[in-house]
Amino acid sequence: MNSFLKEYFDRRIFFCVLSLTGIGLLSIYSATFDAYAGRDFYRQLLWAVIGLFAMLSMMLLPLRWLQRNALTIFFASLSLLVLVLFAGKRVYGSQSWLGFAGLGIQPSEFVKITTMLALASFLSQSDVKATDLKDLVKTSAIVALPIALIMLQPDFGTALTFLAMFIPVLYWAGASKFLIIIIIAPAFIAAASIFGTTPFLIVLILLGAGLYKLRDENRFFAVIVFGANVVIGFFVQIVYEKLPLYQQKRIATFLDPNNDPLGAGYNVIQAKVAIGSGGLFGKGFMRGTQTQLSFIPKQWTDFIFCVPGEEFGLLGGIVVLGLFSVLLFHGVHLASTAKNKFGSLLAIGFTCLFAFHVFVNIGMSVGLMPVIGIPLPFLSYGGSSLVSYMMVAGLMMNVYANRKEY
Amino acid sequence: MIDDFGSADRRFIVRIVLAAGFAILFLRLFQLQYLNAELYGKEAEENSIRNVPKVAIRGYVYDRKGKLLIDNRPSYSVMLTPVDFDKKNLPLLTTILSMPEEMILEKIRLGRKYNAFIPTRIKRDISFAELSMLEEHKDKLYGVEIQMESKRFYPAAAHGSHLFGYAKEISDVQLEKQKDYYQPADIIGSTGIEAKYEQLLRGEKGWEFISQNAKGQIIGTFDNGKHDILPVDGVDLHLAIDGDVQAMAESLLNGRRGAVIAIDPRNGGIIALVSKPDYDLSIFSGTTPPDVWRALNTDEGIPLYNRATLTRYPPGSTFKMLLALTALDKKIIDENWKVTCPGSFRYGNKIFKCEHVHGTVNVVDAIHRSCNVFFYQLMLKVGLDEWSEMGKKFGFGKQTKVDITEENSGLMPDRNYYDRIHGKGKWTQGYLISLGIGQGEVGVTPLQLANYTAMLANKGNFYQPHALNRTYNKRTKQFSEVKVDHREVTLSDHTWELVREGMRRVVMAPGGTGAASRVPGIEVAGKTGTAQNPHGKSHAWFIGFAPFEDPKIAICVLVENVGYGGAFAAPIAGLCMEQFLYGEIIRYSKRPMKLEPNLPDEEPVAEN
């Protein structure tokens, strides 16, 4: 029995997910404690239980069946995104919620999973090559559809997470490294050029070094890419400076919230104060002044990391980061060892999806990242995200169980 | 091309990116939570804890007999929390408080600017009618509450306007100077004893630490109030003042302009300090309506001005004793030195008048009958320097360092002064003659003259005049006595005897000008004086002390624009001394009469 469990049940993922969800529940309890003590906590607890069942069912679904029907499931899920545009509820400026049996769900969270299934299913077909231009276009189309629908809501942050999944999956599937650089370099160059000349030059040098290393593949092309990025950098800078001052300020604030301490930067500054004041061991559960006195707006959703940060200090932060690193490195390991391409792609895609959420969300709470409203998996309050991430974890456990199958 | 699916170098790159991400986050946490933890900790604390000042109960003030002079009474203020208040209820509030709508709106606006979640004071010290109206409409006036505060109350008959002074809401100017302790709307002693002993009376503010959320809404006490600092109640003051004498002096000066100061010659304690016209201190204890304040400031009697310590007039004949003491002490004359008074004195081509033909007088007679010619001649004999030096020893020309408020230092002319005014060598002895009878440039305050009287009574002992005898600290339950400066002017017994005998005769002997200050059964000594007033009728002085052999009270009375001192000032002094020495007015129980100064109906004996 024990060896059977070890063989088919991914205890690492299960442990990490349960621990992180537990920390999340405690944090939500602490952050929302008021006259209605625990209302949000119990609601989230209920979601966690639902999520647990969803996770186990995802684990038990036949992987082959999923692979075969991924595209059908994908297109079916897209209809939800269309529905939400017409019948959805508007929350924080985005029309992303569907009322469902008295509970609100966010279809976009689940579409991430179906998109990943579709991507993995398509790319794992034996006649599809990640290096082939026609196949690349088809793959891109799979991602472009949900991204376009989500941008209509509009929900920029969630749309970005699709890219965070798509690019690593392409890379893993064997796409040319050139291609990857061509896709991601302009974004870094553009951001760096707004920050100033020095960051721009640093990114340019890194790009140059990368291209130099790849020069054997296509020397001429490398020079073209480098040149194009230089042009993009200058172009962005010129356009940025031509923008009206308020728009410049908006962009600068997005990239560095500290520029606007009373507006967009307020959350970030209060979050930093909360985390910093936690010190090494924290102020104790339910005793964080920043948390208890509601200094951080929307803390139980996007800024949930402040709670363990303030109340359990660096120790709490290390525990959370540690659990995530176990989960993510295990995910890479899983992708590397899975014998079938579909499972491997699922594992790497989901791992990178988690990584993006973790780095952007925690990075935002500690003032290193722009404020992009994406949740911290398993910790942030919200039924759809918790259930969908538990389903993702379930799928990864499924990959584990089937890792030896071809 | 080889199939590069999940190749080793791609796994490596993915792992590197993940590791880098975690490393950056960990280093950032380390920076925030270890390197900068203290900084952020302080910021978090400032964010969430609000200090609410708790005002201490202001010290009480008692008189020398233990009677309460200044009390605290509850007063009610209307507070309004801007975020909670619904503007549609404004007309109701306007009607109840009978305040203009714009004024309330302005206060709400100011409060909102500071913090819309903290109650702001709309009106201080509301009436009982307003209070009950507010209570009645409580349900409609959400966001309006009543706050209990304390205000000064004066239970005794004595006004003590200039003596006690007022404590009122701190002004911007005062606040600017003492920002470390005071806050807007704090009460601060602004004049008199309230100002001088502000530090003792106010006690120490306490602090309550309250947790607040990001919007400034109060969540509750911080850490169960463990860090709260209790206010320390103000120290009680026990004054040398006799409330009854103070009240009597005030009532006797009613309708006049002037001052009364009585000093205990045994220690310098001020028994009474009155300046008239005065005003009702209670108008400052709540809110002061602007028109009342304007009226006080524009009144031509200048009620806010403390004549007792600030006004400066020539001392007139009350200064004759100073010249006599100087001459006797320096052995320039003795009791056998005599002058014949023909009714006037000619110096050069100037005639200096005496009101009577006194015949031949010695120093005692000259004081008794107030002969000017004697002192004209004596002044020429003594000279400016000796006289001036003696005057300074008696505290003239400089502040007495009384513990009340600002005081005028007066003017005791000396050689330097004359050189400065007239030029060196450009003034002659003739300039000095009128100084001998206390006229001319010499200027004294009633307080200085009272102090001089006390020194005549106790034979040369200067005690710094003081209203405060001792303080009582309610926390330590201890009294502490006030220490005052003491110095002595040593003159021979014989000198004192002659001068004081002159003063005794002024009151007690026939032909004296101070008979009106007599007290039944007690020997009184005194001297009348008239301060010439170029603008109108002269000001009347009277100084005196009693009992003659063992003086317990020395008094100086100034009544402005009434003419002769004997007629107007002396009776006031007599009644005050009687009240002090007997604790009541006994003359009426023996011979019933109205309680008012016993004014003579005939033209009094002139002095100057």
Side-chain angles (χ1 to χ4, degrees):
Chain A
M1 182 68 196
N2 216 350
S3 62
F4 176 82
L5 263 184
K6 204 171 174 181
E7 187 64 27
Y8 296 104
F9 187 76
D10 194 334
R11 293 172 303 174
R12 272 203 189 79
I13 293 181
F14 192 69
F15 171 77
C16 289
V17 169
L18 282 196
S19 306
L20 287 167
T21 307
I23 291 172
L25 284 168
L26 287 179
S27 301
I28 287 162
Y29 185 78
S30 180
T32 60
F33 187 82
D34 60 8
Y36 310 103
R39 199 185 57 180
D40 298 306
F41 167 78
Y42 287 115
R43 196 174 280 193
Q44 184 76 352
L45 185 61
L46 177 70
W47 281 117
V49 173
I50 294 170
L52 205 60
F53 281 107
M55 180 164 89
L56 294 175
S57 4
M58 286 300 128
M59 187 185 93
L60 296 172
L61 274 181
L63 209 55
R64 295 247 183 253
W65 180 84
L66 271 176
Q67 187 174 7
R68 268 199 302 278
N69 297 293
L71 282 172
T72 321
I73 299 171
F74 171 64
F75 285 111
S77 72
L78 283 186
S79 65
L80 284 179
L81 280 186
V82 176
L83 186 65
V84 87
L85 285 178
F86 295 103
K89 264 194 302 182
R90 197 165 271 277
V91 176
Y92 298 132
S94 298
Q95 194 151 348
S96 61
W97 291 76
L98 266 188
F100 178 74
L103 293 168
I105 62 161
Q106 259 179 309
S108 53
E109 296 290 348
F110 298 98
V111 174
K112 276 180 206 167
I113 303 174
T114 61
T115 307
M116 187 59 228
L117 288 171
L119 275 176
S121 169
F122 182 73
L123 284 170
S124 60
Q125 286 167 31
S126 54
D127 53 339
V128 173
K129 288 268 176 291
T131 46
D132 184 88
L133 191 64
K134 218 163 54 183
D135 291 338
L136 274 178
V137 172
K138 283 183 190 165
T139 336
S140 306
I142 293 177
V143 190
L145 272 174
I147 288 182
L149 287 170
I150 288 167
M151 290 296 267
L152 283 175
Q153 293 181 352
D155 187 350
F156 176 66
T158 307
L160 259 186
T161 59
F162 282 81
L163 287 180
M165 222 162 42
F166 171 63
I167 295 166
V169 163
L170 266 191
Y171 180 66
W172 194 260
S176 141
K177 288 169 186 168
F178 255 136
L179 181 69
I180 304 299
I181 288 180
I182 289 167
I183 296 171
I184 62 172
F188 283 96
I189 287 282
S193 69
I194 288 174
F195 269 116
T197 314
T198 318
F200 175 54
L201 286 176
I202 291 171
V203 174
L204 214 54
I205 289 167
L206 286 173
L207 174 66
L211 289 169
Y212 181 75
K213 201 160 175 279
L214 296 172
R215 69 193 182 282
D216 293 339
E217 286 189 28
N218 192 330
R219 207 170 286 230
F220 175 72
F221 203 47
V223 176
I224 294 283
V225 169
F226 187 78
N229 273 294
V230 173
V231 172
I232 288 170
F234 280 110
F235 181 73
V236 166
Q237 195 139 30
I238 289 162
V239 169
Y240 177 73
E241 268 155 23
K242 285 262 165 68
L243 286 176
L245 210 61
Y246 77 94
Q247 281 188 355
Q248 280 188 18
K249 214 182 144 200
R250 200 179 285 175
I251 293 170
T253 304
F254 172 72
L255 292 174
D256 183 4
N258 297 312
N259 285 340
D260 185 12
L262 291 175
Y266 177 79
N267 276 21
V268 177
I269 288 166
Q270 293 299 346
K272 269 202 309 198
V273 168
I275 292 169
S277 65
L280 285 181
F281 303 108
K283 300 175 186 170
F285 183 56
M286 302 285 295
R287 294 180 68 174
T289 53
Q290 293 283 103
T291 298
Q292 299 307 321
L293 304 173
S294 327
F295 274 90
I296 309 152
K298 287 202 279 172
Q299 190 183 5
W300 48 93
T301 59
D302 296 347
F303 282 90
I304 192 75
F305 183 74
C306 298
V307 184
E310 184 182 21
E311 301 192 342
F312 300 104
L314 186 58
L315 190 69
I318 288 174
V319 168
V320 173
L321 286 182
L323 287 167
F324 274 120
S325 65
V326 169
L327 181 66
L328 298 190
F329 282 106
H330 178 69
V332 179
H333 177 73
L334 199 53
S336 311
T337 50
K339 298 279 192 273
N340 64 81
K341 278 188 174 181
F342 179 65
S344 175
L345 284 168
L346 279 188
I348 203 68
F350 289 143
T351 299
C352 290
L353 176 68
F354 280 143
F356 183 75
H357 276 267
V358 170
F359 295 155
V360 170
N361 181 285
I362 298 181
M364 167 182 90
S365 293
V366 297
L368 287 178
M369 282 279 179
V371 180
I372 300 169
I374 61 171
L376 184 60
F378 309 114
L379 276 84
S380 285
Y381 177 80
S384 304
S385 68
L386 181 61
V387 171
S388 70
Y389 294 125
M390 288 180 104
M391 285 165 73
V392 168
L395 287 169
M396 285 170 79
M397 290 168 82
N398 195 335
V399 173
Y400 177 85
N402 293 297
R403 68 192 180 285
K404 290 180 178 163
E405 312 241 333
Y406 284 91
Chain B
M1 198 181 240
I2 46 142
D3 188 357
D4 217 11
F5 187 96
S7 63
D9 64 324
R10 289 184 187 226
R11 293 175 207 167
F12 177 71
I13 292 284
V14 172
R15 287 198 171 100
I16 283 289
V17 170
L18 287 186
F22 281 112
I24 289 169
L25 288 184
F26 171 76
L27 288 175
R28 178 64 165 181
L29 285 183
F30 183 76
Q31 182 201 11
L32 293 180
Q33 300 186 296
Y34 181 72
L35 301 178
N36 296 334
E38 208 172 312
L39 175 84
Y40 288 114
K42 217 171 272 169
E43 243 174 88
E45 211 160 276
E46 279 164 18
N47 255 348
S48 58
I49 298 167
R50 191 162 81 216
N51 309 350
V52 178
K54 291 278 143 192
V55 175
I57 293 177
R58 217 171 157 79
Y60 294 85
V61 179
Y62 299 88
D63 82 346
R64 63 163 57 211
K65 294 186 274 192
K67 237 167 70 176
L68 190 56
L69 295 175
I70 308 181
D71 194 0
N72 295 308
R73 281 266 169 111
S75 99
Y76 300 92
S77 286
V78 183
M79 311 295 287
L80 184 147
T81 312
V83 285
D84 293 339
F85 184 69
D86 186 347
K87 286 239 170 82
K88 78 173 198 284
N89 294 322
L90 194 60
L92 178 61
L93 194 62
T94 311
T95 319
I96 295 178
L97 297 179
S98 47
M99 270 168 89
E101 200 170 291
E102 310 85 67
M103 204 162 148
I104 298 183
L105 281 173
E106 175 64 13
K107 299 216 174 209
I108 296 176
R109 198 185 61 77
L110 285 176
R112 193 179 280 281
K113 213 168 108 190
Y114 175 59
N115 187 335
F117 290 90
I118 293 179
T120 184
R121 186 180 281 100
I122 298 294
K123 193 175 182 184
R124 197 186 266 281
D125 195 29
I126 55 169
S127 70
F128 185 72
E130 290 168 327
L131 179 66
S132 39
M133 288 265 275
L134 283 171
E135 286 296 328
E136 196 179 314
H137 296 281
K138 206 173 171 182
D139 50 329
K140 278 177 233 154
L141 293 170
Y142 185 65
V144 176
E145 52 197 302
I146 310 291
Q147 180 172 301
M148 203 174 97
E149 292 167 343
S150 82
K151 63 167 178 174
R152 285 306 214 187
F153 176 73
Y154 306 91
H159 273 176
S161 329
H162 306 90
L163 173 68
F164 305 152
Y166 50 82
K168 65 173 180 66
E169 206 166 292
I170 193 163
S171 71
D172 295 345
V173 182
Q174 287 169 321
L175 188 61
E176 196 53 45
K177 283 188 209 148
Q178 312 169 68
K179 268 193 289 208
D180 46 337
Y181 183 84
Y182 296 95
Q183 287 154 316
D186 271 0
I187 295 291
I188 185 171
S190 302
T191 60
I193 300 248
E194 297 268 22
K196 179 74 186 183
Y197 295 111
E198 166 68 12
Q199 303 251 351
L200 293 173
L201 286 168
R202 77 183 184 198
E204 280 301 319
K205 228 182 250 179
W207 293 96
E208 207 171 82
F209 298 101
I210 285 176
S211 295
Q212 63 177 2
N213 66 10
K215 289 172 178 169
Q217 287 166 315
I218 290 163
I219 308 296
T221 57
F222 169 70
D223 209 359
N224 289 323
K226 261 184 260 171
H227 308 276
D228 290 1
I229 300 166
L230 287 174
V232 179
D233 284 348
V235 166
D236 290 345
L237 304 185
H238 289 260
L239 304 184
I241 297 293
D242 182 319
D244 297 321
V245 177
Q246 173 80 19
M248 167 160 294
E250 284 171 4
S251 69
L252 292 175
L253 266 183
N254 262 348
R256 304 214 179 269
R257 297 178 186 176
V260 175
I261 297 185
I263 291 180
D264 189 332
R266 294 165 296 185
N267 52 34
I270 295 176
I271 294 163
L273 187 145
V274 176
S275 170
K276 281 276 183 175
D278 59 2
Y279 52 94
D280 188 357
L281 278 177
S282 57
I283 61 176
F284 287 105
S285 63
T287 35
T288 312
D291 51 322
V292 172
W293 179 243
R294 209 174 307 119
L296 267 180
N297 269 303
T298 52
D299 190 320
E300 60 168 329
I302 345 174
L304 293 172
Y305 180 68
N306 186 357
R307 286 174 161 75
T309 59
L310 287 174
T311 196
R312 182 180 120 181
Y313 294 127
S317 298
T318 60
F319 235 44
K320 285 175 178 166
M321 280 81 78
L322 180 72
L323 183 54
L325 285 170
T326 317
L328 290 166
D329 181 56
K330 301 295 169 198
K331 307 240 177 337
I332 294 165
I333 61 161
D334 59 16
E335 68 265 43
N336 298 319
W337 189 75
K338 286 183 178 133
V339 162
T340 302
C341 168
S344 67
F345 175 67
R346 189 187 175 96
Y347 187 82
N349 54 3
K350 260 186 115 178
I351 306 254
F352 294 87
K353 283 199 279 181
C354 196
E355 295 293 334
H356 283 264
V357 178
H358 289 104
T360 302
V361 291
N362 72 355
V363 64
V364 178
D365 301 327
I367 294 172
H368 171 202
R369 294 165 61 197
S370 207
C371 174
N372 288 353
V373 172
F374 180 91
F375 287 98
Y376 292 146
Q377 294 202 18
L378 190 57
M379 187 69 207
L380 289 173
K381 218 169 153 61
V382 169
L384 179 64
D385 298 333
E386 299 285 7
W387 173 82
S388 176
E389 195 190 324
M390 187 62 86
K392 285 172 186 164
K393 282 187 186 165
F394 277 85
F396 292 109
K398 62 185 173 218
Q399 298 188 340
T400 62
K401 305 278 184 246
V402 70
D403 59 345
I404 292 173
T405 39
E406 311 94 0
E407 53 173 325
N408 196 310
S409 29
L411 175 64
M412 191 69 202
D414 56 12
R415 187 165 291 276
N416 289 336
Y417 174 79
Y418 274 99
D419 284 347
R420 205 172 63 240
I421 298 297
H422 302 290
K424 223 176 166 102
K426 290 196 177 145
W427 51 279
T428 63
Q429 289 292 89
Y431 282 63
L432 309 179
I433 291 173
S434 43
L435 292 178
I437 59 159
Q439 304 293 357
E441 286 93 341
V442 59
V444 303
T445 66
L447 176 66
Q448 285 174 331
L449 213 51
N451 183 54
Y452 157 78
T453 312
M455 289 176 77
L456 290 168
N458 64 29
K459 301 182 185 171
N461 287 287
F462 172 86
Y463 297 98
Q464 187 185 356
H466 55 280
L468 180 64
N469 259 354
R470 51 194 185 143
T471 58
Y472 177 67
N473 187 322
K474 287 189 275 266
R475 198 177 40 163
T476 60
K477 297 200 166 32
Q478 272 176 347
F479 281 101
S480 62
E481 301 290 329
V482 167
K483 287 190 186 67
V484 294
D485 278 354
H486 171 240
R487 61 172 189 269
E488 213 176 330
V489 182
T490 327
L491 305 175
S492 72
D493 286 347
H494 191 56
T495 300
W496 286 119
E497 221 168 84
L498 292 173
V499 172
R500 284 161 52 97
E501 174 58 20
M503 288 180 75
R504 193 188 66 81
R505 288 191 197 171
V506 168
V507 180
M508 306 308 290
T513 53
S517 70
R518 284 182 197 170
V519 175
I522 290 173
E523 242 185 340
V524 176
K527 184 76 192 79
T528 55
T530 304
Q532 286 166 358
N533 175 12
H535 311 293
K537 268 182 113 175
S538 303
H539 308 312
W541 286 111
F542 179 84
I543 63 170
F545 59 85
F548 181 67
E549 290 304 338
D550 176 24
K552 294 186 170 70
I553 179 170
I555 192 166
C556 165
V557 178
L558 165 74
V559 188
E560 290 182 7
N561 307 110
V562 289
Y564 298 106
F568 289 91
I572 294 172
L575 282 164
C576 290
M577 289 191 283
E578 184 174 337
Q579 172 66 43
F580 183 72
L581 295 169
Y582 285 108
E584 59 177 330
I585 299 300
I586 61 158
R587 63 179 78 168
Y588 304 122
S589 54
K590 289 179 180 160
R591 183 159 58 91
M593 58 194 275
K594 280 190 292 177
L595 178 69
E596 62 178 35
N598 187 11
L599 300 181
D601 24 44
E602 66 205 89
E603 188 65 8
V605 179
E607 319 133 45
N608 287 355

